Amino acid sequence: VDQARREWVTLQFQFEKQSYDPRFLFPVSQVSTLAKQLQEEIRLMILPSEKVLLALEWAGKSSSESIRAESLVSVAQAKILTPSQILPALRQGLQDESLAVKQAALEGLLILGEDAEKLQEDVFLLLTLQAEEGATPDVSDQIQQVKRTAVKVIEGFGEASVNALTKALADTDKYIRRDAGYALARLREKALPAKESLTEKLEDPEII
C-alpha cells in the first residue's frame, strides 16, 4: 500500500507538478473502501494461491458438475497450491454425488502423488460403488472408470493398499479385478498378504 501511495504521488508530480491528498478528492468513506480494495488486490498479486483458493471454493459450490470437476483437475495441474491447501477440495470432490467430479478428484490425487494417501479412506470407499439396478450403460461405464482410477491411486499407498486391492480382486467387474491384480503384483513383497487371493485369480479366465 505504501508503494502504491508513493507511485500515486510520483505520477501526480510528474504530470501536474503537485500532489493531492485523496481525502480532498473523495469522501472519507470512499477513500477507506478504495484503500481496502487496493490492499486486497496487492495481497492477491503477492499471494496468487489465495486467489486460486477463492476460485476453487466458488467452483466447489457451483451447480454445474463440469465446473466442479474441471476446477479440481486444473488447479491440481497448475501446482500453485500446497497439498494441505488442495486436499480439502479433493476430499469434497471424492464425496461429490457426481461421478464426473469423483473422477476429477481422483485424477487430481494422481497428480498430487504421495500426499494422496492422506485421503485413503475416502478413496477406499469408491471401490464399493455399484451401479443401481436399471442403471444406464453410461452410468455403469462411469462407475467402472471411477473404480479403475481409484485402483491406480490406491496402488500409490504402498503397503496400506494391500487390503483394499485384495478385496477388489472379488469385484464383479473383470477389469477392476484385473487392475487390482496387476497393482498387487507391482507391489511385489509388500503384497505378500494377498498371495493366496492372487493365486486363486490365476484360475480366473476373464482376467488372464
Side-chain angles (χ1 to χ4, degrees):
V1 175
D2 289 337
Q3 176 64 29
R5 185 180 293 113
R6 285 193 294 270
E7 291 181 2
W8 167 268
V9 171
T10 299
L11 288 172
Q12 287 178 333
F13 274 112
Q14 180 179 346
F15 292 102
E16 300 186 40
K17 310 306 180 186
Q18 58 184 319
S19 178
Y20 304 99
D21 187 323
R23 288 174 297 180
F24 295 137
L25 303 176
F26 307 101
V28 174
S29 60
Q30 191 172 354
V31 171
S32 177
T33 300
L34 289 171
K36 289 179 180 178
Q37 291 177 342
L38 180 58
Q39 289 174 344
E40 179 65 11
E41 287 299 319
I42 292 174
R43 184 178 68 83
L44 293 176
M45 285 191 294
I46 296 173
L47 302 171
S49 62
E50 296 292 327
K51 202 165 191 175
V52 174
L53 280 171
L54 290 173
L56 193 57
E57 181 181 357
W58 171 84
K61 297 176 181 178
S62 173
S63 60
S64 167
E65 69 172 25
S66 62
I67 289 177
R68 299 198 305 276
E70 291 168 11
S71 64
L72 291 174
V73 177
S74 298
V75 171
Q77 290 175 333
K79 297 184 177 180
I80 294 174
L81 301 181
T82 65
S84 62
Q85 289 176 315
I86 194 174
L87 281 172
L90 292 176
R91 172 178 278 120
Q92 181 179 331
L94 294 174
Q95 298 172 353
D96 198 285
E97 61 182 16
S98 163
L99 291 170
V101 178
K102 291 181 188 295
Q103 175 67 23
L106 288 169
E107 291 173 8
L109 288 176
L110 285 174
I111 295 170
L112 200 60
E114 61 183 20
D115 287 290
E117 65 182 13
K118 295 174 183 176
L119 299 185
Q120 59 181 246
E121 294 302 323
D122 295 278
V123 180
F124 291 158
L125 281 175
L126 295 183
L127 288 182
T128 66
L129 286 174
Q130 295 292 336
E132 296 181 0
E133 187 176 351
T136 64
D138 183 58
V139 169
S140 297
D141 289 345
Q142 280 187 293
I143 289 176
Q144 181 195 82
Q145 186 59 48
V146 165
K147 293 171 75 171
R148 292 187 70 179
T149 307
V151 167
K152 292 180 182 178
V153 175
I154 290 170
E155 183 182 349
F157 301 161
E159 193 171 351
S161 70
V162 174
N163 188 45
L165 292 175
T166 302
K167 290 179 179 179
L169 290 174
D171 197 275
T172 56
D173 189 299
K174 65 180 180 181
Y175 296 108
I176 305 301
R177 299 199 302 275
R178 184 192 64 185
D179 290 357
Y182 288 161
L184 286 166
R186 285 190 289 269
L187 289 171
R188 302 176 71 83
E189 64 275 4
K190 294 179 182 177
L192 284 177
K195 181 178 179 180
E196 184 176 342
S197 297
L198 276 171
T199 302
E200 291 176 0
K201 286 304 165 187
L202 292 176
E203 304 300 322
D204 187 342
E206 288 191 310
I207 65 174
I208 300 302

